[in-house]
Amino acid sequence: MITLDSKRLTVLKQEVFEANLALPKAGLVKLTWGNVSVIDRELGVIVIKPSGVAYDVMRAEDMVVTDLDGKTLMEDTLAPSSDLATHVILYREFPEIGAVVHTHSKWAVAWAQAKRDIPAYGTTHADAFYGQVPCTRELTATEITQDYEVETGNVIVETFKNRGLDPNAVPGVIVSSHGPFTWGKTAAKAVEHSLILDEVADMAFQSEQLEHDLTAIPGYLLDKHYYRKHGADAYYGQK
């Protein structure tokens, strides 16, 4: 049993708390429409926002601790986010990620409701996502009825496997008719990806209003912008 006075656990809960507060601050969340989790594979825990708790009353100690299967580990704990099972699937299937974010941010949801991938039209997109951000297929009535949150995770994984996508190079997805999930090595990076995703969703929409016959960013320019920030030969920023 993990105890609340564990120093390592306290640090994780503070990280998750601050990352969750960053969502409404960045305009990505209204009401309680979002959650962030972090996984510590060595400790064997996931820490996630409690379900339905308003951001202005939430405390670091309210963050919920579960095992890697999503079973709560503390007595008298708040109920975890209802999206926990989706996070568990993503951690299990994408073993290099360290944090997951889910929001209902306006522009990403618009593309999800249109059931369209977010095209890679320019370099702002290419800096963070190596190609279009995929939209999953619709969940079936059976999938929704039998285990909605698990199947949401499954359809994300299915989308990446079927399309041969690397979740490290495309750190986000939009679930059809639902909204975005993003991830990263840390909670801060996963939140950053969520912010970038919504911005490029907005930019793509505006671009299509100006030019109806848009084409994707050229591959050589996509490569240049993505790999100057990522990989062994990256040179953007300070060393």
Side-chain angles (χ1 to χ4, degrees):
M1 179 70 68
I2 298 170
T3 58
L4 283 171
D5 61 359
S6 163
K7 181 177 179 181
R8 190 165 171 184
L9 191 57
T10 300
V11 171
L12 284 173
K13 293 177 88 169
Q14 185 66 31
E15 178 185 2
V16 173
F17 172 65
E18 291 177 3
N20 275 287
L21 291 184
L23 296 180
K25 191 176 296 184
L28 295 171
V29 162
K30 291 180 171 64
L31 301 176
T32 59
W33 302 345
N35 47 74
V36 181
S37 73
V38 165
I39 189 170
D40 186 318
R41 300 177 195 279
E42 184 179 339
L43 195 59
V45 300
I46 294 169
V47 181
I48 194 167
K49 177 186 178 291
S51 179
V53 176
Y55 290 89
D56 59 351
V57 300
M58 192 170 63
R59 306 167 301 166
E61 51 265 41
D62 294 330
M63 301 302 103
V64 182
V65 183
T66 79
D67 64 17
L68 300 188
D69 293 319
K71 180 182 178 181
T72 55
L73 292 174
M74 307 294 181
E75 295 180 0
D76 301 321
T77 188
L78 294 172
S81 167
S82 57
D83 295 303
L84 172 61
T86 305
H87 293 232
V88 168
I89 296 293
L90 295 179
Y91 288 131
R92 186 177 299 157
E93 299 297 325
F94 298 161
E96 294 184 25
I97 69 174
V100 172
V101 174
H102 173 52
T103 75
H104 288 254
S105 59
K106 182 184 297 184
W107 292 104
V109 167
W111 288 86
Q113 292 180 171
K115 304 174 181 60
R116 286 187 58 189
D117 298 346
I118 302 173
Y121 285 138
T123 61
T124 309
H125 185 121
D127 281 340
F129 297 95
Y130 190 57
Q132 62 191 10
V133 176
C135 182
T136 71
R137 64 168 174 82
E138 289 274 21
L139 289 172
T140 67
T142 299
E143 288 169 332
I144 290 170
T145 301
Q146 68 185 10
D147 208 335
Y148 177 52
E149 289 79 15
V150 168
E151 295 301 337
T152 298
N154 287 339
V155 79
I156 293 171
V157 173
E158 172 194 295
T159 299
F160 274 71
K161 287 183 175 178
N162 287 350
R163 300 199 195 186
L165 298 175
D166 178 357
N168 300 304
V170 183
V173 67
I174 49 175
V175 177
S176 185
S177 299
H178 186 171
F181 285 82
T182 62
W183 45 83
K185 294 287 188 183
T186 65
K189 184 57 71 172
V191 169
E192 179 182 304
H193 289 152
S194 192
L195 176 59
I196 296 170
L197 176 57
D198 208 59
E199 287 295 311
V200 299
D202 183 359
M203 292 174 184
F205 174 81
Q206 302 297 342
S207 297
E208 289 192 356
Q209 306 317 296
L210 294 166
E211 174 54 67
H212 298 306
D213 296 320
L214 276 178
T215 57
I217 185 173
Y220 55 84
L221 187 54
L222 173 71
D223 285 349
K224 180 63 178 180
H225 267 261
Y226 183 79
Y227 287 112
R228 74 174 187 162
K229 281 193 170 184
H230 307 273
D233 298 323
Y235 61 87
Y236 179 90
Q238 302 302 311
K239 301 299 182 184

